[in-house]
Structure formats: structure tokens, C-alpha cells
Amino acid sequence: QEHLVESGGGSVQAGGSLRLSCAASQAAISSSCMTWFRQSPGTEREAVALMYTLPNTTPYYSNPVKGRFTISLDKAKNTLNLQMDNLEPDDTATYYCAAGPKTRGYCSLSPVIYNYWGQGAQVTVSS
């Protein structure tokens, strides 16, 4: 069973926008943490946006994407979204949604903690 299925992504020029969506199974959406990671060839997978599934919590954004990316969770549709605006060539990567438990009360930025993963969506930004 696929617990997280991604859609969206594609190619865009610098300054443009893209939206990623991640349809989640009931098991995945019941996780405490839902996070978007990205990975470029030769680099480690890094967390770019994270949110707790409990209400009234503040999302986390990595410094490179802060102010440009917005993570959101639509619980009615069991869907995690990532709106990406003002894209830059350095945003080019494969993007993965992930779901997992808290560690010591917090959502981790480490990919090893997450037990549900999407298949990945390619985002390419040209200058």
C-alpha cells in the first residue's frame, strides 16, 4: 500500500511558482509530524518545511526557503501541500513528503525518523 502519493512539480523559470501535493493514507495522516524534504544529486536529503499535525502549532521552514515556501495540511482531504513561490535555481531537487512520529516530544529534521515516504517529485528551476 502506498501511504503517501505526491503530485505536482515540474519545470519553471526563476521567480515562478509551483505547488506540490501529497495524498496521505489514514495511517500516514495520523502521524504527529509531516515534512517536506528535498534532495539534489550528491547531497543529503534535507528538511525544508515541517509541521505538527496538531492544531495551533507553528510550521518550521529552513532558512533557504523561509518567506517563499508555505506548508499546509488539509485534513478534510488528507493532503499535505507545499506552495513554492519566487523559485530559485538552487531549489532544483527531488522533493519528498514524509510522515512520522515525534522524537522526545518534537518533530525531527532527520529523515531517518520518518517511516512513511512519498515517491518523490522533480522540481527544476531554470535561470
Side-chain angles (χ1 to χ4, degrees):
Q1 180 185 3
E2 291 179 324
H3 289 280
L4 294 172
V5 179
E6 298 182 40
S7 60
S11 298
V12 67
Q13 288 191 326
S17 298
L18 286 172
R19 184 177 180 86
L20 299 176
S21 294
C22 181
S25 68
Q26 195 58 44
I29 206 74
S30 299
S31 301
S32 296
C33 312
M34 299 200 77
T35 301
W36 286 98
F37 290 84
R38 69 184 182 187
Q39 187 170 23
S40 303
T43 69
E44 294 186 352
R45 195 167 292 190
E46 62 169 347
V48 296
L50 173 158
M51 69 183 303
Y52 291 76
T53 54
L54 289 175
N56 301 320
T57 55
T58 302
Y60 159 87
Y61 298 97
S62 67
N63 284 337
V65 309
K66 195 175 296 182
R68 301 187 296 119
F69 289 14
T70 304
I71 187 172
S72 62
L73 178 62
D74 186 340
K75 283 200 168 182
K77 297 181 179 180
N78 280 10
T79 301
L80 181 73
N81 301 301
L82 185 68
Q83 178 66 36
M84 303 181 290
D85 297 319
N86 195 19
L87 282 160
E88 303 170 353
D90 284 349
D91 295 319
T92 296
T94 302
Y95 285 71
Y96 300 89
C97 59
K102 288 190 283 188
T103 303
R104 297 180 183 176
Y106 295 94
C107 291
S108 174
L109 299 176
S110 171
V112 300
I113 301 298
Y114 292 79
N115 46 6
Y116 297 110
W117 287 90
Q119 78 278 17
Q122 179 64 37
V123 171
T124 302
V125 185
S126 58
S127 57

